[in-house]
Amino acid sequence: MCTKISVIIPVYNVEEYLEQCLDSVINQPLEDIEVICINDGSTDNSLEILEEYAKKDYRIKIINKKNEGIGVARNIGIDHAKGKYIIFLDSDDWLKNNAFKNLYDIIILDNIDILIFKILPYDENSDKFFKRDDYELLGLENLFKEDFVTYKDIKEDIFNISVVAYNKIYKKSFLDKHNLKFPERLIFEDNPFFFDAIINAKKIKFNNEYYLYRRFRDNSVISLVDESHFDIIPISNMIIEVFKDNNLFEMFKFELFNKKIMLIRSEYESMDYIYKKKFFNLIKNDFLRFNLSFEDFIDNFKESNLYFYLNALKYDNFWEFDFYNLKSKLELQINFFKQDNINLKNWITKLENNNNNLKNNNKKLKSKTIQLKKSNNNLKNENKELLILINNLKNDKKKFFLLKAGKLQNH
């Protein structure tokens, strides 16, 4: 009988956080797990900590290797995993208590290929938890009630789902069947793996619970924008190749090119100037490979991606490229503010029209009120006259009975 869950944890120089991570794993109520820790050439005390834990818990398996990056480490973990399901955990993050049991109970019920859950990020600097739209699965709330879906059911949302590996649990036989592996010796490795998995899965489920706490710290890989972030270019091309390999390129081509340019533009705009010149040359050479018509871009691309792509093709000098990117960005902002101003004017006009309508209605109501007051006064006068008439009738009736009584006496 195979293990229920294999936990794959790449480890690299995380001595400060590793114990919290491991404690959150081995203290889970679901005990039928294996913990595969890949020491990726750590130079601090991470290996010693792993060895101490392995002595106490037979479920912890250590694989020692030279530093080659998280993609290689995760792939080694997949190859060694004996569990029915696989979950990836970064060594500075930690799990919610009872995460494994709850996830296993959900995924086993309908034989799910991929279960996607929510993450609660933690900012180490402020010592506070916070929320992020992608980790909240924002916009996907309608999927929480579904038993399972495929990529065909979420075509509009597929590029809005967080690609990270650690907010998902995967069926091992599904990964093996499609030979799903991470790109190696590149960062952003989650991207191609995610898209390859999501379009091949027959049963995808979304869960509205937090099962993982994600640590954000200043010296982590994701916080350092340097030459390693040039990897976004080959990674963006790998995403496109995934869709081509699965005969889905034509269906998603405009979304794919928008995604590609957005990923590259985002890294370029957050990068220090000392790296930008080299990055620009790589970007230009990459963009020249694509034979995209201007009409396609005009009709199907976001303006911010459009100017970035066209400027890269137009200018050979990094400084010009950077200047005209900034110029284009400012023009977009100006156009946005202009449109916003038009919208505000239209809104004000609408409010003024509504106000005039209210004034007219108020005048009509005042006129009706005056008429009602007159009618009310008339009714009051008529009521007074009726009261006088009734009193007269009462008096006449009284006189009649008195007179009748006197006549009877006289008679």
Side-chain angles (χ1 to χ4, degrees), residues 146-164:
E146 299 291 336
D147 290 334
F148 52 82
V149 296
T150 70
Y151 82 89
K152 294 176 183 178
D153 303 305
I154 54 173
K155 283 193 296 186
E156 303 300 321
D157 300 304
I158 195 170
F159 292 96
N160 298 322
I161 301 170
S162 175
V163 302
V164 297

Side-chain angles (χ1 to χ4, degrees), residues 220-238:
S220 66
V221 172
I222 58 173
S223 67
L224 302 173
V225 182
D226 55 21
E227 284 191 354
S228 66
H229 286 239
F230 296 172
D231 288 350
I232 196 62
I233 294 176
I235 287 290
S236 68
N237 292 329
M238 287 179 186

Side-chain angles (χ1 to χ4, degrees), residues 348-364:
I348 290 169
T349 301
K350 188 176 180 179
L351 284 176
E352 288 174 346
N353 290 334
N354 288 339
N355 189 45
N356 289 331
N357 290 334
L358 286 171
K359 284 181 178 178
N360 291 330
N361 289 336
N362 190 41
K363 286 180 181 179
K364 290 178 182 178

Side-chain angles (χ1 to χ4, degrees), residues 107-307:
I107 203 166
I108 199 72
L109 185 65
D110 291 307
N111 197 24
I112 300 296
D113 292 326
I114 306 172
L115 174 63
I116 304 174
F117 51 87
K118 292 164 70 171
I119 297 173
L120 194 59
Y122 167 75
D123 180 16
E124 189 175 62
N125 292 328
S126 63
D127 190 26
K128 290 181 180 178
F129 292 98
F130 63 99
K131 292 186 178 182
R132 266 178 43 167
D133 289 353
D134 55 344
Y135 289 170
E136 285 290 302
L137 304 177
L138 198 67
L140 302 167
E141 294 87 353
N142 60 310
L143 299 174
F144 294 147
K145 296 178 182 179
E146 299 291 336
D147 290 334
F148 52 82
V149 296
T150 70
Y151 82 89
K152 294 176 183 178
D153 303 305
I154 54 173
K155 283 193 296 186
E156 303 300 321
D157 300 304
I158 195 170
F159 292 96
N160 298 322
I161 301 170
S162 175
V163 302
V164 297
Y166 43 77
N167 74 333
K168 303 168 184 75
I169 183 168
Y170 306 84
K171 187 163 67 174
K172 173 66 161 58
S173 60
F174 161 70
L175 297 183
D176 291 341
K177 177 182 177 181
H178 297 281
N179 193 29
L180 295 176
K181 294 293 177 64
F182 293 88
E184 298 189 346
R185 299 172 186 85
L186 296 169
I187 65 171
F188 309 111
E189 73 292 327
D190 288 344
N191 283 268
F193 180 86
F194 164 76
F195 288 108
D196 211 356
I198 209 78
I199 61 182
N200 278 292
K202 302 301 181 188
K203 292 183 176 182
I204 306 162
K205 186 169 181 63
F206 292 81
N207 187 264
N208 189 26
E209 294 290 335
Y210 301 102
Y211 290 114
L212 184 138
Y213 303 104
R214 175 68 173 163
R215 186 188 307 274
F216 283 82
R217 52 192 176 92
D218 287 339
N219 61 339
S220 66
V221 172
I222 58 173
S223 67
L224 302 173
V225 182
D226 55 21
E227 284 191 354
S228 66
H229 286 239
F230 296 172
D231 288 350
I232 196 62
I233 294 176
I235 287 290
S236 68
N237 292 329
M238 287 179 186
I239 296 171
I240 292 172
E241 289 304 315
V242 163
F243 281 81
K244 285 182 177 179
D245 291 343
N246 287 278
N247 299 315
L248 293 173
F249 174 72
E250 286 300 320
M251 181 185 294
F252 290 101
K253 65 179 181 180
F254 294 118
E255 292 87 348
L256 284 166
F257 284 123
N258 260 308
K259 180 74 172 179
K260 170 185 172 62
I261 296 168
M262 182 276 292
L263 289 172
I264 294 172
R265 179 172 58 83
S266 177
E267 294 308 314
Y268 181 85
E269 289 176 351
S270 60
M271 191 168 285
D272 193 278
Y273 269 102
I274 61 173
Y275 305 115
K276 275 188 171 183
K277 183 176 181 180
K278 184 176 179 181
F279 195 27
F280 163 67
N281 291 328
L282 294 172
I283 291 170
K284 185 176 182 68
N285 290 333
D286 180 66
F287 284 1
L288 286 170
R289 293 176 54 234
F290 294 95
N291 185 22
L292 299 172
S293 71
F294 184 77
E295 290 76 16
D296 283 344
F297 266 88
I298 286 294
D299 294 336
N300 298 286
F301 282 72
K302 295 179 181 177
E303 285 185 292
S304 53
N305 293 335
L306 174 63
Y307 77 69

